[in-house]
Amino acid sequence: MPALFEPLKLRSLELQHRGWVSPMCQYSCDPDADPGVPNDWHLMHLGSFAAGGAALILAEASAVSPEGRISPRDAGLYNDAQAEAWQRITTFVHRHGAAGAKIGAQLAHAGRKASTWWPFSGKHGSVPVSDGGWTTVGPSPLAFEGYAAPAGMTAEQIQEVISDFAAAAVRAVEAGFDTVEIHGAHGYLLHQFQSPLANLRDDEWGGDETGRNRLMLAVVDAVRAVIPDSMPLLLRISATDWAEGGIDLPASVRLARQAAARGVDLIDVSSGGAVAHQSITPRPGYQTGFSAAIREEAGIPTGTVGLLTSAGQAEHAIATGQADAVLIARAALRDPHWWLRAAFELGHDIPWAPQYERALPRRTF
């Protein structure tokens, strides 16, 4: 059996293989009629991956509060209407997943990178309040390059964010998600607190590494406390800021160890996003080394992401111990049946949706 298609168990969650879908914001909620509520587009988008053979689908970043949305068109899990809409999608994935697909919620707060124009709006930067935007918050009143400056958060606001993550996690469980991922990467709020490039505080929520990691770990504790013990908890981090004076891999290894001790079951390893002046040259598999180091040195399962497009690349990452799962994004947009094709290319069979079985490729002609 190819390593990519070996089963994986995290707590009581049994996944048929290690090919997963990375969260991808769709910027498709109606900001006027149904802010933060996923709709038919999200059902189609995520449902296609279930029919395409993905083992685990991580839904797009869902904000834990209105001001935590990246854009006015982002999804949320901060009210019951959103949870009910998500339940429609989780039910579909469970019913029609070709490979017994499971689905996870990614909980997020964009912090100083919130209230921005969505990519296909034709505009850039922060959305003015007059156009439906809002005043953003962050660890310090320091703007991300090209965006409006946030308001520095008070201690009370920090505690509210922790509570918001916990409340969203409860809704995720009630909506039928199989796992929860905390978004601590890509320059969003938890990463902003972690990075010395964005966090200039001198109180208990800033300063040294312990202080800067405090919010990330407090959110982990809060979410772990409200989801079932049988449910795995994932954490996405940026392994490096790709900028001088920022987070580096050794710091991420230390964070991963602490997260594992608090009940995180897998680290979803990405990188970058804290500052616009990062120096990075993306190439195929450019982040697998971060995943491998965290997996080995922190002793926790990892997922790897980033320009992994072929079955051979994914198989290599798993077979060589660089990760326990491979998450793909853009390749899945190009081919929502990526996992069915990957299995065929690697000489393995996984179930197809019965409606599609007539298209099963033959190995001999």
Side-chain angles (χ1 to χ4, degrees):
M1 178 183 293
L4 180 64
F5 288 97
E6 292 177 353
L8 179 66
K9 185 174 182 180
L10 297 172
R11 297 199 182 225
S12 67
L13 181 61
E14 297 182 358
L15 301 166
Q16 291 195 14
H17 60 77
R18 294 150 187 264
W20 302 354
V21 179
S22 195
M24 291 177 277
C25 289
Q26 295 297 290
Y27 308 99
S28 295
C29 297
D30 187 331
D32 299 317
D34 295 302
V37 176
N39 52 44
D40 286 350
W41 177 267
H42 301 86
L43 176 68
M44 178 281 300
H45 169 68
L46 298 170
S48 66
F49 302 140
L56 177 63
I57 300 161
L58 291 177
E60 67 185 80
S62 294
V64 300
S65 63
E67 63 273 13
R69 291 172 295 162
I70 302 169
S71 83
R73 296 176 63 93
D74 277 49
L77 256 172
Y78 52 82
N79 63 40
D80 292 341
Q82 296 160 355
E84 290 172 8
W86 278 118
Q87 187 168 29
R88 174 174 173 244
I89 294 169
T90 63
T91 298
F92 182 94
V93 168
H94 292 147
R95 183 173 297 164
H96 298 292
K102 308 297 182 183
I103 183 168
Q106 188 188 62
L107 307 182
H109 190 301
R112 69 177 187 169
K113 295 178 79 173
S115 189
T116 59
W117 292 103
W118 50 98
F120 44 89
S121 66
K123 302 177 183 179
H124 303 282
S126 299
V127 178
V129 173
S130 59
D131 288 327
W134 56 91
T135 300
T136 60
V137 296
S140 305
L142 181 66
F144 183 85
E145 294 99 318
Y147 294 172
M153 295 176 70
T154 65
E156 291 75 16
Q157 287 175 312
I158 293 171
Q159 292 297 333
E160 288 174 2
V161 164
I162 296 169
S163 298
D164 287 341
F165 269 93
V170 170
R171 289 193 179 92
V173 173
E174 293 173 345
F177 285 100
D178 301 292
T179 185
V180 168
E181 177 171 272
I182 297 168
H183 199 347
H186 299 166
Y188 298 128
L189 186 66
L190 303 186
H191 184 193
Q192 290 163 27
F193 270 83
Q194 182 197 8
S195 175
L197 299 178
N199 186 345
L200 307 181
R201 302 176 74 98
D202 58 6
D203 62 2
E204 63 178 322
W205 303 101
D208 61 11
E209 185 176 296
T210 298
R212 289 184 282 103
N213 286 349
R214 194 179 306 279
L215 179 57
M216 183 98 69
L217 297 175
V219 168
V220 166
D221 288 342
V223 171
R224 182 75 267 174
V226 298
I227 64 175
D229 186 64
S230 59
M231 177 180 283
L233 177 59
L234 317 182
L235 174 64
R236 173 166 274 197
I237 68 170
S238 283
T240 175
D241 283 339
W242 297 106
E244 185 177 354
I247 296 165
D248 58 14
L249 181 57
S252 292
V253 169
R254 292 189 292 271
L255 173 65
R257 288 196 191 107
Q258 295 175 74
R262 285 170 153 82
V264 168
D265 300 286
L266 180 139
I267 302 291
D268 181 358
V269 184
S270 189
S271 69
V275 291
H277 62 268
Q278 63 188 12
S279 179
I280 177 173
T281 305
R283 60 190 184 280
Y286 71 106
Q287 296 181 139
T288 59
F290 300 141
S291 170
I294 290 171
R295 185 176 188 264
E296 174 67 23
E297 297 177 35
I300 185 172
T302 60
T304 188
V305 300
L307 292 182
L308 297 168
T309 60
S310 72
Q313 283 178 299
E315 171 68 10
H316 178 75
I318 302 298
T320 56
Q322 296 179 75
D324 297 273
V326 170
L327 296 91
I328 66 168
R330 290 171 178 82
L333 296 181
R334 290 188 289 269
D335 179 7
H337 300 138
W338 187 93
W339 305 271
L340 299 178
R341 179 170 55 80
F344 175 76
E345 291 177 359
L346 295 173
H348 183 66
D349 292 318
I350 62 173
W352 283 51
Q355 297 92 333
Y356 286 0
E357 284 181 350
R358 75 187 73 175
L360 274 165
R362 293 175 292 167
R363 302 196 186 282
T364 59
F365 295 89

